[in-house]
């Protein structure tokens, strides 16, 4: 049985180059649609960058591992999360045109096989997680509750996109926590009077991370509210960013969702989708800006933030220009009719938006004048 391209996958390497026997597994993990990996990964990289930029720390070998480790973890956990979501939603997916040919509803992969896939990806991810410090490990474990609950949100609330935002952007907190210990140690700012052992003795891999975490207890209790404020603000801003772009994504399925009883922010907003997405993006930009202030980032951050704001604003403008309806004055309660292809393009463009904000944070470490 030949695996046909899925409706929203477009041209992709899985359908072009992967062996036929592997295609259902790669599609189960959404490797034919890497945009989800980017949207899960970029917030983690932003958290790492924020910790380094806030304390003006030059990246070292451990920071390079964080970048690579978070990339591997994002690929694996996104695959596990999508497979788990497909297990839970298999009956709904079978009734929706865009998802009916996914591996589980189409019968190419059984529920038992998909469950084994979830376990395998999760175990490999756990091995990566255990290379981080204790705070990051605990945050990683806590994220499982968000992942497990997400597939059920569309059944109980009109705002499952909020839960997706809480889940997908958890990497901001994890990345920040993973990088902040050694960033504080390198600058001596996290321990009154400096680190007794000296920063040179606390760089990875010369000292185990659990040693660094143990030595950090003194400053962590005293400084944690100030240290983590910027990361928390960036995380909350990212939640609103996701609420905006996933509302756009949900426009593709708005008619099928109504037919099968699935709730979404796109259905809830109706003809007010454009205003809603614009408001979500405005809050996202504002919170990212306050995070930059809290972290003391330099002037170049604000140039990058302006570019981030312009990118999101451009999405809203294009969304407004594409509205389709058969009535001159549609009711606010009616669903917003948007070209699905445009909705998908706007959604995918948020990879670039995420990178713009990432580079803005990195540039924020540059002092002014040069």
């Amino acid at each position: 049985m030949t695996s046909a391209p899925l409706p929203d996958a477009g041209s992709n390497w899985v359908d072009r180059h992967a062996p036929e026997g592997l295609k259902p597994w790669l599609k189960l993990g959404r490797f034919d649609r890497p945009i989800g990996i980017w949207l899960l990964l970029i917030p983690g990289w932003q958290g790492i960058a924020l910790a380094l930029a806030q304390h003006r720390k030059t990246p070292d070998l451990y920071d390079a591992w964080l970048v690579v480790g978070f990339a591997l973890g994002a690929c694996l956990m996104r695959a596990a999360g999508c497979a788990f979501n497909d297990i839970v939603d298999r009956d709904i997916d079978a009734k929706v045109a865009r998802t009916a040919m996914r591996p589980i509803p189409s019968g190419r992969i059984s529920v038992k096989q998909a469950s084994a896939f979830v376990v395998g990806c999760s175990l490999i991810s756990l091995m990566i997680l255990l290379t981080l410090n204790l705070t990051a490990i605990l945050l990683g474990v806590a994220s499982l509750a968000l992942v497990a609950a997400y597939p059920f949100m569309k059944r109980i609330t009109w705002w499952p996109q909020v839960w997706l935002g809480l889940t997908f952007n958890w990497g901001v907190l994890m990345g920040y926590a993973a990088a902040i210990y050694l960033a504080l140690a390198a600058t001596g700012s996290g321990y009154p009077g400096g680190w007794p052992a000296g920063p040179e003795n606390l760089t990875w891999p010369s000292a185990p991370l659990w040693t660094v975490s143990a030595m950090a207890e003194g400053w962590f209790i005293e400084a944690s509210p100030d240290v983590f404020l910027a990361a928390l603000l960036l995380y909350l801003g990212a939640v609103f960013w996701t609420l905006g772009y996933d509302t756009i994504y949900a426009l593709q399925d708005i008619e099928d969702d109504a037919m099968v009883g699935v709730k979404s922010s796109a259905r809830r907003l109706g003809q007010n989708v454009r205003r809603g997405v614009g408001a979500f993006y405005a809050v996202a930009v504002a919170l990212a800006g306050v995070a930059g202030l809290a972290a003391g980032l330099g002037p170049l951050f604000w140039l990058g933030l302006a570019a981030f704001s312009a990118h999101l604003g451009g999405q809203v403008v294009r969304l407004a220009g594409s509205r389709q309806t058969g009535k001159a004055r549609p009711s606010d309660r009616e669903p917003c009719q948007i070209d699905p292809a445009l909705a998908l393009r706007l959604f995918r463009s948020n990879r670039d938006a995420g990178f713009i904000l990432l580079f803005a944070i990195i540039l924020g470490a540059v002092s002014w004048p040069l």
Side-chain angles (χ1 to χ4, degrees), residues 53-54 102 151 162 202 221 273 280 313:
Q54 182 175 2
R102 286 179 177 176
V162 174
L202 293 173
I221 295 173
V273 161
F280 302 149

Side-chain angles (χ1 to χ4, degrees), residues 32-208:
D32 58 333
R33 282 164 287 172
I35 180 60
I37 296 174
W38 287 117
L39 294 177
L40 182 63
L41 169 59
I42 291 172
W45 280 353
Q46 290 175 351
I48 296 167
L50 183 65
L52 301 180
Q54 182 175 2
H55 297 281
R56 306 305 194 265
K57 178 180 180 289
T58 302
D60 56 23
L61 181 59
Y62 178 63
D63 299 318
W65 160 244
L66 288 181
V67 171
V68 174
F70 270 66
L72 295 173
C75 292
L76 290 165
M77 286 309 297
R78 195 253 182 158
C82 288
F84 176 70
N85 187 77
D86 285 1
I87 292 171
V88 174
D89 283 350
R90 60 189 183 275
D91 294 332
I92 293 176
D93 286 346
K95 301 175 183 177
V96 176
R98 186 177 61 85
T99 58
M101 293 308 297
R102 286 179 177 176
I104 296 177
S106 66
R108 301 205 68 190
I109 291 178
S110 68
V111 172
K112 183 179 293 186
Q113 289 173 320
S115 299
F117 180 85
V118 172
V119 172
C121 291
S122 299
L123 288 176
I124 300 172
S125 298
L126 177 62
M127 294 172 63
I128 297 172
L129 181 65
L130 292 177
T131 68
L132 309 182
N133 60 48
L134 181 59
T135 305
I137 290 172
L138 293 176
L139 284 169
V141 172
S143 71
L144 295 179
L146 294 170
V147 174
Y150 170 67
F152 304 98
M153 290 298 114
K154 67 186 71 174
R155 295 166 170 83
I156 62 177
T157 176
W158 286 104
W159 303 97
Q161 283 71 25
V162 174
W163 198 267
L164 182 69
L166 294 171
T167 305
F168 249 53
N169 297 292
W170 197 253
V172 171
L173 302 179
M174 285 187 62
Y176 189 88
I180 193 62
Y181 285 114
L182 294 183
L184 286 166
T187 60
S189 59
Y191 191 91
W195 287 87
E200 68 278 2
N201 297 322
L202 293 173
T203 55
W204 185 85
S206 62

